[in-house]
Amino acid sequence: MLLHDVVTTSAAVAATRSRTAKVAALAELLAAADTDELRVVVHFASGSLRQRRTGIGWRSLAQPGPPAAVPSLTVGEVDRVLDELSLLQGDGSRLARLELLEELLGRATAPEQRFLTGLLTGELRQGALEGVLVPAVATAFGVGPEAVRRAAMLAGSVATAAEAARAGGEPALAAIGLRVGRPVQPMLAASAPAVRGAVASFAGTVAVEAKLDGIRIQVHRDGDEIAVFSRSLDDLTARLPEVVAAVAALEVGSCVLDGEALALDPTGRPRLFQETAARSASHAGADSLALSPFFFDLLHLDGEDLVHAPLADRQAALARVVPAGLAVERLVTDDPAAAEEFSERVLGRGHEGVVVKALDAPYEAGRRGAAWVKVKPVHTLDLVVLAAEWGSGRRRGWLSNIHLGARDPSTGGWVMLGKTFKGMTDEMLAWQTERFLALETAREGHVVLVRPEQVVEIAFDGIQRSTRYAGGMALRFARVVGYRDDKPASEADTVADVRRLAGG
């Protein structure tokens, strides 16, 4: 398949707001792909790369050179070049990388150059997100969308599900199960403003769990082999030896655990999230700052998959194998007052809130459903920085006021919700100046436009109507809680999340 075919489809998907039209265009593209290139086509259609890193930055792509007049690049050729780029290291790698990139872009037409630039920088905005790709795969290969969604969640990849759907239809999709050692997409929680309301939204008894302000971890153990994965399915095993040691001490043969890891002070209170995030991003080891794991779910135990079992059964199994010191504290109750009191105790120990969970719900990998509801005393959103403004007075010379955007899955773009410079320390100002200059795409006067990659946690007092921003909403008294390097922009909160909190 020519790259031109992918680029043409991408343009058609970006040009329409119709979900039906997006699905039809993508389904036609996927059905036309050869078996050995389907995985790559799925990645390209979703704006991602099969290779997680290529070493190519924005500056390398700023001036791509004259484009080719006629399309000739194939999807396979592009993927092979990306493979080479991802493997280059050591002396001379930068020059070799630039030469490979120059040759690739020199063979690309102008639309293909723009597409490849967006792909390599993670800035391809075409509206072909997973919510559209899943039904497109189903349409392309004549299978049910739920079967594709389930397989993609358990495989951690829509591309794997697409290959299975083409090869063997629904039986092949059904054969994809949880495999110890292969991470699954984590289950996510919806939000609610109050504990009483969250408990009342469920019928009967619920589990109320402490919400820890750490990094999400998924730990797989198969005998002596242990692997630790992040919420974005990156392998953190080498960085978190203390987590590996804790799971190695459990009396199990195989297991898959879901939980959080965070840094604690000598009194047992959580340290700032930035300290936890910095430690998890480095290879400094536990000697620098140990992260303590706490687990709240069990997806597999000694040969038995538990993802489809109700939460009550999973929690019972978890309690049998994980000691209390490694388990997230929880209360099982049907009393909203008791849940509220539990939440206050959790907050008093420095944690950020609670998660209310339905005891009869299965583990819905990759879904943000109604079965888990998080409640924080202060409203927070994980937004993406769209731009930053040069400061004045004491903040002169630093990028200060940041522009905040919520994700819009319907377009693949961003909706601005306001600006803030509140909550920033001098250290944060220095860090974000360096960070945003590295992400710079353009300037408009004193405003530096940046690639929408950096997630920031924002606290706010409320949401008000606004004619100033396209989304019709603005955050009241927004302030920075911290930057979330553990979370990709694709998992930032959406416009729908904001409207829900606003009661709309």
Side-chain angles (χ1 to χ4, degrees):
M1 174 179 283
L2 289 175
L3 178 65
H4 171 77
D5 298 328
V6 180
V7 173
T8 301
T9 300
S10 175
V13 169
T16 179
R17 294 183 65 87
S18 166
R19 189 172 186 274
T20 300
K22 290 178 188 290
V23 169
L26 288 167
E28 184 178 353
L29 177 73
L30 299 178
D34 289 342
T35 299
D36 60 354
E37 62 192 10
L38 178 60
R39 173 170 291 270
V40 180
V41 172
V42 171
H43 275 285
F44 285 5
S46 66
S48 66
L49 299 175
R50 186 177 61 79
Q51 305 80 3
R52 295 185 74 89
R53 293 178 180 83
T54 60
I56 297 297
W58 180 264
R59 288 185 176 84
S60 303
L61 297 159
Q63 296 179 320
V70 179
S72 65
L73 276 174
T74 68
V75 166
E77 286 173 327
V78 174
D79 186 57
R80 284 191 289 276
V81 172
L82 296 178
D83 262 343
E84 289 186 61
L85 289 170
S86 68
L87 295 173
L88 287 172
Q89 323 179 32
D91 295 341
S93 61
R94 182 178 178 279
L95 182 58
R97 191 174 285 115
L98 290 174
E99 289 175 350
L100 275 172
L101 184 63
E102 183 180 355
E103 183 181 350
L104 175 66
L105 294 177
R107 291 189 55 203
T109 63
E112 290 170 347
Q113 285 185 347
R114 290 192 294 271
F115 180 86
L116 288 170
T117 296
L119 203 59
L120 287 162
T121 59
E123 204 180 58
L124 193 64
R125 300 289 169 237
Q126 58 187 359
L129 302 177
E130 186 169 312
V132 181
L133 271 172
V134 165
V137 170
T139 301
F141 304 118
V143 295
E146 281 305 315
V148 177
R149 186 172 288 108
R150 173 197 166 277
M153 291 170 185
L154 292 175
S157 165
V158 178
T160 299
E163 289 177 328
R166 160 169 274 176
E170 295 210 8
L173 291 169
I176 294 177
L178 188 150
R179 181 194 303 165
V180 179
R182 181 179 66 189
V184 303
Q185 296 173 1
M187 185 170 177
L188 305 173
S191 297
V195 174
R196 284 180 176 268
V199 173
S201 69
F202 294 96
T205 305
V206 296
V208 187
E209 297 179 354
K211 187 178 189 315
L212 309 184
D213 193 16
I215 60 163
R216 187 79 172 264
I217 55 171
Q218 188 180 121
V219 187
H220 290 236
R221 176 177 173 181
D222 187 6
D224 294 332
E225 296 294 321
I226 297 173
V228 184
F229 300 97
S230 70
R231 66 180 292 145
S232 55
L233 311 188
D234 291 318
D235 192 334
L236 302 179
T237 310
R239 301 179 193 173
L240 301 179
E242 62 270 49
V243 175
V244 172
V247 175
L250 301 179
E251 295 184 2
V252 298
S254 64
C255 66
V256 176
L257 293 154
D258 193 1
E260 297 264 338
L262 68 161
L264 303 174
D265 69 15
T267 70
R269 292 179 68 85
R271 292 178 179 269
L272 291 175
F273 175 78
Q274 286 89 337
E275 295 182 64
T276 292
R279 165 66 181 81
S280 67
S282 75
H283 289 82
D287 290 342
S288 63
L289 180 66
L291 297 189
S292 301
F294 295 92
F295 300 108
F296 53 74
D297 219 324
L298 182 64
L299 313 186
H300 175 95
L301 179 61
D302 290 336
E304 181 183 2
D305 288 345
L306 302 174
V307 286
H308 301 301
L311 175 64
D313 291 354
R314 302 199 308 275
Q315 288 185 343
L318 181 71
R320 290 197 300 270
V321 299
V322 171
L326 293 180
V328 169
E329 185 180 3
R330 71 168 52 91
L331 171 71
V332 176
T333 184
D334 61 357
D335 182 359
E340 203 164 53
E341 183 182 340
F342 175 81
S343 175
E344 289 170 0
R345 291 201 306 271
V346 167
L347 292 168
R349 288 196 288 273
H351 299 300
E352 64 175 0
V354 295
V355 183
V356 181
K357 298 181 177 180
L359 289 171
D360 60 350
Y363 190 93
E364 296 180 287
R367 303 292 294 274
R368 190 187 298 277
W372 290 10
V373 179
K374 60 185 176 184
V375 185
K376 301 180 184 181
V378 176
H379 295 308
T380 66
L381 288 167
D382 290 331
L383 302 176
V384 170
V385 178
L386 306 179
E389 299 175 5
W390 288 107
S392 58
R394 189 181 68 81
R395 300 185 181 212
R396 184 177 299 278
W398 282 333
L399 286 174
S400 175
N401 211 16
I402 56 175
H403 297 200
L404 306 168
R407 185 163 55 87
D408 186 352
S410 69
T411 65
W414 307 92
V415 175
M416 190 166 169
L417 298 173
K419 311 174 186 180
T420 190
F421 56 82
K422 303 291 186 182
M424 296 176 182
T425 64
D426 287 354
E427 281 185 343
M428 190 178 291
L429 287 166
W431 177 87
Q432 71 185 35
T433 299
E434 181 179 357
R435 169 65 169 158
F436 296 144
L437 288 177
L439 295 176
E440 179 182 353
T441 60
R443 296 197 186 191
E444 295 177 358
H446 69 294
V447 179
V448 176
L449 306 180
V450 301
R451 297 199 305 275
E453 294 180 9
Q454 181 62 55
V455 177
V456 60
E457 185 177 8
I458 297 293
F460 59 98
D461 290 355
I463 300 168
Q464 60 192 14
R465 292 179 182 176
S466 173
T467 57
R468 186 175 182 181
Y469 302 117
M473 301 176 290
L475 304 182
R476 294 181 66 247
F477 304 112
R479 53 208 180 271
V480 174
V481 176
Y483 285 102
R484 299 295 305 263
D485 291 328
D486 65 316
K487 180 179 281 192
S490 60
E491 289 185 14
D493 286 311
T494 66
V495 178
D497 294 327
V498 181
R499 290 203 176 101
R500 249 193 314 273
L501 286 175

